[in-house]
């Protein structure tokens, strides 16, 4: 890579780290940059996954207070996304991608729609719950299953996985949106870490790209956590929907 190309990858890592800890669409920025520099898509995808692990680490550290608020949910999200990522990484390496990738934009658009209408859906569902029912500060079996499927998708490709997790947790729990954002960041870390370890062993990586992405994303992830904690819920929800739609349109 030339000096300008190295700066582009470093900047992409910084921006992707911020996006990872805020709206959850880091690959919207970093993956196209790697492909634009001439990396084959599978190599770019694997390198992108490994290079963004530091963003998840620094972002989760930045959200450490939020992650302590509901430790049971935090443990379940960490476990099911890590296990799902193993399956997703195996699918990426073993199966033709064309059929699944054709469905991905529509899955992301569905998730965007769910994020957008979640306040109205939640209010509608609340009418059917008893007034004395405790807030849903745990994951039901159905919500856990969808979180695991999101982990599978995260390990397979990952673009828009954060949007999907916001939709799953927003509909399946009653935790505050800032905590949902923290859990989303942790889920992306779990997926990238597990899939990244597999890719290090069995996939082709561009280590120069990985190093530059990592250097930028570790700073961006922490900055993104500080930004995400202060985003009003309406602004955060709108940003997630807009970013998810952008990912889906680019993938169509």
């Amino acid at each position: 890579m030339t000096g300008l190309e190295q700066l582009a990858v470093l900047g992409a890592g910084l921006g992707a780290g911020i996006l990872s800890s805020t709206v959850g669409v880091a690959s919207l920025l970093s993956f196209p940059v790697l492909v634009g520099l001439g990396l084959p898509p599978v190599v770019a995808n694997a390198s992108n996954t490994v290079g963004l692990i530091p963003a998840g680490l620094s972002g989760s550290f930045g959200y450490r207070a939020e992650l302590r608020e509901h430790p049971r949910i935090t443990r379940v999200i960490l476990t099911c996304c890590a296990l799902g990522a193993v399956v997703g990484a195996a699918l990426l390496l073993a199966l033709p991608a064309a059929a699944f990738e054709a469905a991905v934009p529509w899955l992301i658009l569905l998730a965007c729609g769910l994020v957008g209408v979640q306040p109205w859906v939640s209010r509608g569902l609340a009418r059917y719950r008893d007034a004395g029912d405790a807030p849903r500060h745990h994951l039901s079996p159905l919500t856990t299953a969808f979180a695991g499927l999101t982990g599978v998708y995260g390990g397979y490709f990952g673009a828009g996985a954060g949007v999907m997790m916001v939709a799953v947790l927003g509909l399946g729990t009653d935790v505050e949106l800032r905590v949902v954002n923290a859990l989303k960041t942790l889920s992306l870390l779990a997926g990238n870490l597990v899939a990244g370890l597999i890719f290090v062993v069995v996939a082709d990586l561009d280590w120069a790209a990985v190093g530059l992405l990592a250097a930028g994303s570790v700073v961006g992830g922490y900055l993104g956590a500080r930004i995400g904690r202060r985003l009003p819920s309406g602004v955060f929800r709108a940003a997630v929907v807009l970013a998810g739609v952008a990912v889906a349109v680019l993938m169509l």
Side-chain angles (χ1 to χ4, degrees):
M1 287 186 282
T2 66
L4 286 177
E5 289 173 338
Q6 291 175 349
L7 285 175
V9 176
L10 185 65
L14 176 65
I18 293 173
L19 291 174
S20 177
S21 297
T22 51
V23 295
V25 290
S27 295
L28 171 66
L29 178 60
S30 52
F31 179 72
V33 169
L34 296 183
V35 173
L37 293 177
L39 272 66
V42 173
V43 175
N45 188 25
S47 301
N48 185 63
T49 297
V50 177
L52 292 183
I53 291 173
L57 290 169
S58 61
S60 296
F61 178 77
Y63 282 122
R64 60 195 181 279
E66 285 79 6
L67 293 174
R68 292 193 191 106
E69 292 189 25
H70 302 288
R72 183 178 176 185
I73 296 180
T74 298
R75 289 193 298 269
V76 173
I77 288 295
L78 189 60
T79 301
C80 66
C81 287
L83 294 176
V86 174
V87 178
L91 290 174
L92 176 67
L93 297 171
L95 298 178
F100 186 72
E101 288 178 358
V104 164
W106 305 107
L107 292 174
I108 296 174
L109 287 173
L110 174 62
C112 289
L114 292 175
V115 171
V117 304
Q118 184 263 324
W120 293 275
V121 173
S122 295
R123 283 196 289 269
L125 292 175
R127 297 193 188 101
Y128 296 95
R129 298 168 58 199
D130 293 334
D133 284 352
R136 296 173 300 166
H137 290 166
H138 64 281
L139 297 185
S140 69
L142 182 61
T143 303
T144 301
F146 276 111
L149 289 174
T150 302
V152 172
Y153 171 69
Y156 183 89
F157 185 67
V163 176
M164 294 180 182
M165 186 57 72
V166 170
V168 169
L169 295 175
L171 290 171
T173 72
D174 293 322
V175 301
E176 293 182 43
L177 205 56
R178 61 181 176 81
V179 179
V180 168
N181 200 7
L183 292 166
K184 173 266 300 172
T185 301
L186 182 69
S187 74
L188 295 177
L189 168 62
N192 283 346
L193 184 59
V194 173
L197 290 174
I198 293 172
F199 294 154
V200 166
V201 175
V202 300
D204 291 329
L205 299 172
D206 186 309
W207 284 105
V210 168
L212 291 166
L213 281 178
S217 71
V218 70
V219 177
Y222 186 73
L223 290 176
R226 296 181 68 85
I227 295 169
R229 182 181 290 116
R230 292 168 172 78
L231 281 177
S233 60
V235 174
F236 170 69
R237 197 181 305 280
V240 169
V241 171
L242 289 173
V245 169
V247 173
V249 169
L250 288 173
M251 295 177 64
L252 285 172

